[in-house]
Amino acid sequence: MRILLTFLSSWREHTFYQDFHRGLGEALRAFGHEPVTFSFQALGEPRQEEAEALFQQLDRGNFSAVLDLCCWGYGLSQITLRMVDGTSQTIFDAFGIPHVGILCDQPYNQALNGIRGARRYAAYPDLGHPEQVRLVFPGFKLTGEMFLPPAVRPANDRSAGKWADRNIDVLYIGNVIPLALERYWNDPKSVHWSKEFDPYFCNALADAALEEPDRSLHLSVQAALAKLGKPPPGFDFNPQFRAVESHLRYVFRRDAVVALARSGVRMRVVGKGWDEIPLPPNVELGDETNYEGFFQLAGQSKICLDASTYLDGVNDRAFSYLLSGAVCFTNAAGYLRSALGEADGMRFYSMRNLPELGEQVRKLLARPDDLRAAGQRGREVVLASHTWQNRIDGLLQLIQPKSGFMTGVLPPPPTRRY
């Protein structure tokens, strides 16, 4: 099959985005498919020359699907062709191509609802995302959806060398935004404030999530609504989700790092904003790094900490830590507990009992042979079951490939609608 991979070329270099794109392409080629990258410069409305180039690309050969990382190619799906019978169709519909939005963040941070076409699919990194989509994009219809957690590329393993040479006992990588640690939706003077916020609902949702920090966010929505009653018709969950999840994201990071630091273990914390968070002297701070630096640091670490809002899924960090042979401690137990048992390099903690996190880490560091063996098993499991090749098979089964048949023409610029 020929698969079109959209690619936002203006995105900053050396991030997960380029690596995911590379991983998808490698996996497709490994199965004998032909990935074809279509690069574009800006989100939203494509440039005139980009619309022309996409039309020419699709017209040159049959494509079975479009895979759209982060849904950033949504603007391409809105290009409209004038057909020979006088009707109009969106470009991927005109060529009979399904569009798969691969979400790499929470749904309300992605433009899934901007995808136009009759055959729209979504692939989510968290099992709770379908319910979130129904809340934030009511009435948005999908042809199909699936769970597609991020995966690893074996080439990213930077763990060469002896275990004894690993000089980082515990690593945390991730930024923190001090202002977002506060409930900024209550303060119109905050730089993060928006008139779209409903403070009553945001506070109720934040309270519910922090009272039960181990459950998916859409379940906390149900708890908040049970307290407040049904929202008025047309209530927009989208800005409320964005605000509260952003707050939780940084609260979870800060609380987990601070609790573990206070246990006395030797830590390295890498990312922006941590210089404004009081941390004990056993913590070494490092500047924000790129994706290559992320892998290099993971390969030097014995234990890596993950603090996540993907409670029934996984972000890319957890699997990448295991790829490096480190043991990963995470609060995201909903999916990972079944995908990777505690004997396989993953350890789980609860935000409800953070002092226990420090105790677990100290005990494991005191057993270096067990620590090394657990990291090795985690690496083996990830390489066997969580590479992009493992993911591609299920992804292509989601869609029903259809050969494109083109009967339209690209209209002149004045009549084109995006």
Side-chain angles (χ1 to χ4, degrees):
M1 290 191 292
R2 298 190 78 207
I3 308 294
L4 191 75
L5 301 181
T6 64
F7 185 74
L8 180 62
S9 57
S10 58
W11 189 247
R12 63 183 184 274
E13 296 181 354
H14 304 301
T15 71
F16 78 92
Y17 181 69
Q18 292 88 355
D19 195 74
F20 283 19
H21 179 270
R22 191 175 298 117
L24 284 168
E26 291 168 351
L28 287 166
R29 283 188 287 271
F31 281 105
H33 303 301
E34 181 187 356
V36 177
T37 294
F38 181 81
S39 297
F40 60 100
Q41 283 288 318
L43 293 172
E45 183 173 340
R47 298 176 177 178
Q48 172 68 24
E49 60 270 23
E50 290 174 339
E52 298 280 354
L54 179 60
F55 178 87
Q56 295 299 326
Q57 181 73 72
L58 297 179
D59 199 36
R60 282 197 293 269
N62 291 338
F63 285 86
S64 297
V66 177
L67 302 187
D68 185 8
L69 274 175
C70 302
C71 307
W72 285 345
Y74 71 93
L76 301 175
S77 76
Q78 297 173 13
I79 297 171
T80 301
L81 303 184
R82 187 179 65 232
M83 311 305 287
V84 293
D85 62 1
T87 63
S88 296
Q89 286 195 44
T90 55
I91 191 166
F92 295 133
D93 279 352
F95 283 95
I97 305 173
H99 189 151
V100 184
I102 301 176
L103 279 76
C104 301
D105 201 337
Q106 304 286 4
Y108 29 86
N109 295 328
Q110 309 272 264
L112 176 65
N113 64 327
I115 295 175
R116 299 289 178 263
R119 301 174 67 202
R120 301 178 294 198
Y121 296 81
Y124 306 117
D126 190 288
L127 291 166
H129 281 174
E131 293 303 319
Q132 291 188 19
V133 166
R134 307 203 206 312
L135 286 167
V136 298
F137 303 136
F140 181 72
K141 302 299 183 184
L142 290 163
T143 305
E145 52 193 354
M146 71 175 294
F147 175 54
L148 188 82
V152 301
R153 297 176 58 241
N156 287 330
D157 181 7
R158 302 291 186 273
S159 59
K162 297 179 180 180
W163 177 266
D165 294 334
R166 296 187 180 226
N167 58 359
I168 302 174
D169 283 352
V170 181
L171 173 70
Y172 179 78
I173 299 179
N175 299 327
V176 67
I177 300 177
L179 285 175
L181 294 169
E182 307 298 330
R183 297 191 178 192
Y184 53 86
W185 53 81
N186 292 322
D187 182 9
K189 296 180 180 179
S190 171
V191 295
H192 299 292
W193 187 82
S194 167
K195 64 181 180 181
E196 296 180 305
F197 294 156
D198 183 312
Y200 297 102
F201 179 77
C202 286
N203 284 320
L205 178 54
D207 289 342
L210 292 171
E211 287 168 6
E212 295 290 344
D214 299 333
R215 68 183 173 192
S216 283
L217 193 55
H218 71 278
L219 298 177
S220 292
V221 170
Q222 295 177 10
L225 292 178
K227 177 180 179 181
L228 295 177
K230 291 184 179 181
F235 182 79
D236 192 352
F237 282 95
N238 201 323
Q240 326 310 325
F241 264 98
R242 289 201 312 271
V244 175
E245 189 275 337
S246 172
H247 173 66
L248 295 173
R249 183 179 299 204
Y250 296 114
V251 168
F252 284 179
R253 292 179 181 186
R254 177 202 60 191
D255 290 356
V257 167
V258 169
L260 191 50
R262 287 176 177 172
S263 74
V265 299
R266 192 167 62 96
M267 292 183 67
R268 185 176 300 182
V269 176
V270 176
K272 294 188 297 186
W274 291 104
D275 55 343
E276 298 185 45
I277 306 298
L279 293 169
N282 51 295
V283 176
E284 176 187 354
L285 297 182
D287 294 334
E288 182 183 21
T289 187
N290 60 22
Y291 219 49
E292 174 57 30
F294 166 87
F295 291 119
Q296 293 285 353
L297 288 165
Q300 301 170 33
S301 303
K302 301 172 185 176
I303 291 174
C304 296
L305 176 67
D306 175 51
S308 179
T309 57
Y310 293 86
L311 302 181
D312 287 312
V314 58
N315 59 52
D316 59 296
R317 300 176 192 184
F319 285 145
S320 293
Y321 289 146
L322 295 189
L323 174 68
S324 75
V327 169
C328 177
F329 277 78
T330 182
N331 62 317
Y335 155 71
L336 286 172
R337 194 183 291 276
S338 60
L340 283 140
E342 294 212 351
D344 297 324
M346 196 70 73
R347 297 290 187 274
F348 302 100
Y349 68 91
S350 170
M351 287 289 174
R352 301 179 69 178
N353 189 7
L354 285 175
E356 186 179 58
L357 168 63
E359 183 179 350
Q360 290 177 318
V361 170
R362 286 200 314 272
K363 286 182 177 179
L364 192 55
L365 285 170
R367 303 194 308 271
D369 291 342
D370 292 344
L371 178 57
R372 181 176 63 252
Q376 181 59 35
R377 286 194 298 271
R379 181 176 182 276
E380 292 168 357
V381 171
V382 165
L383 287 172
S385 303
H386 299 285
T387 67
W388 285 111
Q389 289 188 37
N390 297 127
R391 301 289 187 257
I392 279 295
D393 221 14
L395 178 60
L396 295 183
Q397 289 178 26
L398 171 70
I399 58 176
Q400 297 296 320
K402 177 181 177 183
S403 295
F405 179 69
M406 184 59 207
T407 59
V409 296
L410 196 68
T415 63
R416 183 175 303 137
R417 294 181 296 106
Y418 296 100

